[in-house]
């Protein structure tokens, strides 16, 4: 699963938040998810993803501290390895970029998603 995600990200040079939004919205839909309806929040996350790509060469989750080593951070390259479980259990991923339809409709209470990453 991670290799397909890496291939996906490598096809997207010179990204803008607006272009990334379009791409991730399609990606989310393909997984049965949505992007968070709070677009200001989403665009801040997208800027963080782009900044991390400039900084590290890959789009690590902007809500976590990356090491700068792609192999070490493979589990937190967006969408992170934990997103499927987080969305299934809490209706949103750790950072809240990807959510369920029910989450966006307010049918799921917004809770803090606990960190699943082992330190």
């Amino acid at each position: 699963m991670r290799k397909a995600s890496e291939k996906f990200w490598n096809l997207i040079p010179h990204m803008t938040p607006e272009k990334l939004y379009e791409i991730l919205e399609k990606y989310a839909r393909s997984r049965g998810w949505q992007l968070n309806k709070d677009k200001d929040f989403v665009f801040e996350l997208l800027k963080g993803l782009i900044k991390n790509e400039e900084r590290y060469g890959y789009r690590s989750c902007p809500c976590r501290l990356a090491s700068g080593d792609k192999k070490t951070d493979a589990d937190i390259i967006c969408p992170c390895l934990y997103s499927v479980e987080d969305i299934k259990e809490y209706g949103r991923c750790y950072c809240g970029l990807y959510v369920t339809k029910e989450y966006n409709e307010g049918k799921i209470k917004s809770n803090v998603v606990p960190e699943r990453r082992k330190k």
Side-chain angles (χ1 to χ4, degrees), residues 22-103:
E22 289 176 26
I23 292 167
L24 294 185
E25 188 175 45
K26 288 178 187 170
Y27 175 76
R29 242 184 285 136
S30 76
R31 303 290 312 254
W33 303 336
Q34 297 180 349
L35 295 182
N36 194 310
K37 68 180 180 183
D38 183 343
K39 281 194 174 181
D40 290 337
F41 174 72
V42 167
F43 271 80
E44 288 305 312
L45 291 173
L46 299 181
K47 289 174 190 172
L49 285 170
I50 293 169
K51 187 68 173 176
N52 282 345
E53 183 175 40
E54 292 169 1
R55 188 180 293 146
Y56 305 121
Y58 51 91
R59 293 189 184 126
S60 63
C61 175
C63 299
R64 294 179 166 112
L65 187 59
S67 70
D69 178 71
K70 190 173 183 178
K71 188 175 177 182
T72 301
D73 294 338
D75 62 328
I76 60 168
I77 295 174
C78 185
C80 75
L81 192 61
Y82 316 102
S83 60
V84 172
E85 265 186 87
D86 289 344
I87 293 168
K88 188 175 179 181
E89 189 170 343
Y90 297 98
R92 54 170 255 179
C93 68
Y94 181 74
C95 64
L97 176 62
Y98 298 106
V99 301
T100 61
K101 177 182 174 191
E102 292 77 18
Y103 184 90

Side-chain angles (χ1 to χ4, degrees), residues 6 14 48:
E6 287 178 22
H14 311 295

Side-chain angles (χ1 to χ4, degrees), residues 1-11 70 74 77:
M1 186 162 118
R2 176 56 56 206
K3 288 187 179 203
S5 178
E6 287 178 22
K7 194 181 273 185
F8 170 77
W9 287 115
N10 290 334
L11 294 172
K70 190 173 183 178
I77 295 174

